Amino acid sequence: MKNNSDLLDGRNYITELRGNRYGRTGIYGNVQKVCDDPFSGSPLGAALSFDTFDINPVYCAAALETVTADGKIDCDGFIKDFCHKRYKTDAYDDDIIALTRLCDSDECCGSVICARPCTNVKHTAPFDTMERSYDFHKLYDIADRILRSDARRTDTLRADIQSIVRQFLSDLAYPVYLKATEFFREKNVRNFEQASNLFLEICEDIDRLLRTREETNFCTKYVQAQELGSSKDEKEALQINYLLLHTIWGPFDHSILYDTVWNEWGGLVKDYYEARWHMYYRSLAAYFDNPKKLKDNSKKQPLDRNEYNGSYQAKRLALFENNFLENYIPRKDGICEEDTIEVAKELLEKYSQVYSQF
């Protein structure tokens, strides 16, 4: 059995650097690795395969720089130059360097918020993981330092602080989910209610934060997709395809790649992901007398995940998802009505004591 490196022996090839797969909103990307010239051994040159450039801007900027650079580039020096150009100040150099060193995974981890509900969530999309290679508590410190700075905040910084606080809250949701599941199995009704309500509250707060900017809202992107059509039929086709892509992927009744293109976007979090979890947590009340009766994990595990219709609970979720697809109406109300920085500050203060418990 040959390994991948053996297959390249004697062959010319182009080295490809991937990033921001499917535009998922998790912060990741090994900036140091990119700056160390990953293309040095490529005889025919280099290629970038980024599905979007707005998720981790410093990682994307480093990739664009190194693809034409002559050898390695100084990582910290590049980040400082990036910060000066992006934020018009050097006040955030150390914090952005700390962020890139913290979230330096080559692969995007999953989001429990965007994961299809069950008592054993292992993945959001196929092949990702819920485990973090970093201590998410440190995201709080980075966001807090930036928000306490007196330096002038550019629009790009406002976008980036929104992303950092969103990631912190998203990461916090996973240990809260684990506690809710633990309390359910222990038949501890009171603690289960507290943990599950906290999980749903985190979803609400993420959605509120995301609605402070137009470009982080699902309905904005949905309308943009619709407007690409030149006829009524094209617009309708683009609408349903856009909805399918960002939810169950398709087909309607036996999707395998559901939630592949997950995104924590305003409106989508509240109306789709949180709504799924709310419905699921309410359904668990019927099993508190005997949690073992709950069968929400299918026997077959395609791509190490539950079958789309593999259990009674999964079928209920499928009904909800298909109803969402059939009846979705974009809601622009509330978008950009609150200030990103003020909401971010409020949420950090709100969870300043909570996050240290997980």
Side-chain angles (χ1 to χ4, degrees):
M1 184 72 175
K2 291 186 176 182
N3 60 39
N4 290 338
S5 59
D6 294 333
L7 295 174
L8 295 176
D9 284 348
R11 293 178 172 85
N12 290 330
Y13 58 90
I14 295 174
T15 299
E16 178 189 54
L17 183 64
R18 300 192 66 180
N20 294 353
R21 189 175 300 179
Y22 299 111
R24 298 170 189 155
T25 46
I27 298 176
Y28 74 103
N30 193 328
V31 180
Q32 180 64 62
K33 184 177 178 180
V34 171
C35 291
D36 286 341
D37 190 15
F39 309 115
S40 59
S42 179
L44 297 181
L48 301 181
S49 295
F50 279 61
D51 288 337
T52 180
F53 283 92
D54 59 353
I55 305 302
N56 186 340
V58 65
Y59 178 70
C60 296
L64 290 168
E65 177 76 14
T66 196
V67 76
T68 57
D70 184 16
K72 298 180 181 180
I73 58 177
D74 175 56
C75 185
D76 287 0
F78 171 80
I79 295 174
K80 290 178 180 179
D81 183 59
F82 167 87
C83 290
H84 181 74
K85 292 176 180 176
R86 186 169 176 84
Y87 309 131
K88 313 304 180 187
T89 177
D90 60 1
Y92 310 113
D93 292 4
D94 292 340
D95 295 313
I96 300 302
I97 289 173
L99 177 66
T100 57
R101 288 176 178 170
L102 183 67
C103 303
D104 64 352
S105 172
D106 284 325
E107 292 293 333
C108 181
C109 295
S111 161
V112 71
I113 290 170
C114 303
R116 208 160 188 244
C118 70
T119 52
N120 186 28
V121 170
K122 295 183 288 184
H123 309 279
T124 307
F127 309 115
D128 66 15
T129 176
M130 291 294 111
E131 300 302 323
R132 299 291 187 263
S133 61
Y134 59 87
D135 180 1
F136 83 92
H137 298 82
K138 294 180 180 179
L139 283 172
Y140 180 96
D141 298 328
I142 293 171
D144 187 54
R145 286 196 301 269
I146 293 175
L147 286 171
R148 289 178 183 275
S149 171
D150 292 329
R152 184 167 65 89
R153 298 187 178 98
T154 62
D155 188 63
T156 49
L157 181 72
R158 298 167 74 84
D160 293 347
I161 194 64
Q162 182 201 54
S163 185
I164 297 169
V165 176
R166 176 207 52 76
Q167 188 67 62
F168 162 71
L169 292 173
S170 179
D171 289 347
L172 172 61
Y174 181 60
V176 175
Y177 154 79
L178 292 177
K179 277 297 180 183
T181 304
E182 177 186 329
F183 293 140
F184 168 73
R185 289 172 174 156
E186 293 174 352
K187 297 189 280 189
N188 188 328
V189 178
R190 181 180 178 184
N191 285 352
F192 168 78
E193 287 183 348
Q194 289 179 341
S196 60
N197 285 338
L198 176 58
F199 180 93
L200 297 174
E201 191 170 353
I202 291 171
C203 293
E204 289 268 355
D205 287 334
I206 288 178
D207 193 84
R208 178 189 169 198
L209 176 65
L210 293 170
R211 291 185 73 80
T212 62
R213 296 184 65 85
E214 187 173 3
E215 71 272 16
T216 54
N217 279 273
F218 183 66
C219 81
T220 302
K221 299 174 184 294
Y222 172 85
V223 171
Q224 289 172 346
Q226 174 190 8
E227 290 174 347
L228 293 173
S230 58
S231 67
K232 180 181 178 182
D233 288 344
E234 281 187 359
K235 291 179 184 294
E236 290 178 352
L238 287 167
Q239 287 173 354
I240 190 60
N241 277 290
Y242 189 82
L243 289 171
L244 279 169
L245 180 68
H246 291 91
T247 54
I248 67 173
W249 188 288
F252 287 97
D253 55 348
H254 57 275
S255 174
I256 296 176
L257 300 175
Y258 58 86
D259 295 325
T260 289
V261 186
W262 61 263
N263 280 283
E264 290 173 351
W265 283 335
L268 192 61
V269 170
K270 181 176 176 61
D271 298 339
Y272 187 74
Y273 298 127
E274 182 195 349
R276 281 198 310 195
W277 278 106
H278 185 266
M279 183 184 75
Y280 177 76
Y281 278 142
R282 285 187 62 186
S283 73
L284 295 189
Y287 298 92
F288 258 105
D289 290 338
N290 189 353
K292 292 182 179 179
K293 285 185 176 180
L294 176 67
K295 306 297 182 184
D296 65 343
N297 291 287
S298 59
K299 292 182 180 179
K300 293 182 180 180
Q301 294 279 306
L303 301 179
D304 198 32
R305 303 190 307 157
N306 289 321
E307 287 185 292
Y308 185 69
N309 273 315
S311 68
Y312 171 72
Q313 294 294 330
K315 290 176 181 177
R316 293 184 74 246
L317 290 169
L319 287 174
F320 164 80
E321 291 159 352
N322 280 269
N323 184 64
F324 176 85
L325 291 171
E326 292 174 7
N327 298 290
Y328 175 74
I329 299 174
R331 296 184 296 107
K332 295 186 178 181
D333 55 296
I335 296 178
C336 297
E337 290 184 1
E338 290 192 279
D339 180 76
T340 302
I341 297 298
E342 294 307 314
V343 173
K345 282 182 177 179
E346 181 183 331
L347 294 181
L348 282 188
E349 177 62 28
K350 177 178 179 178
Y351 291 97
S352 60
Q353 301 300 318
V354 176
Y355 85 101
S356 60
Q357 300 172 24
F358 295 93

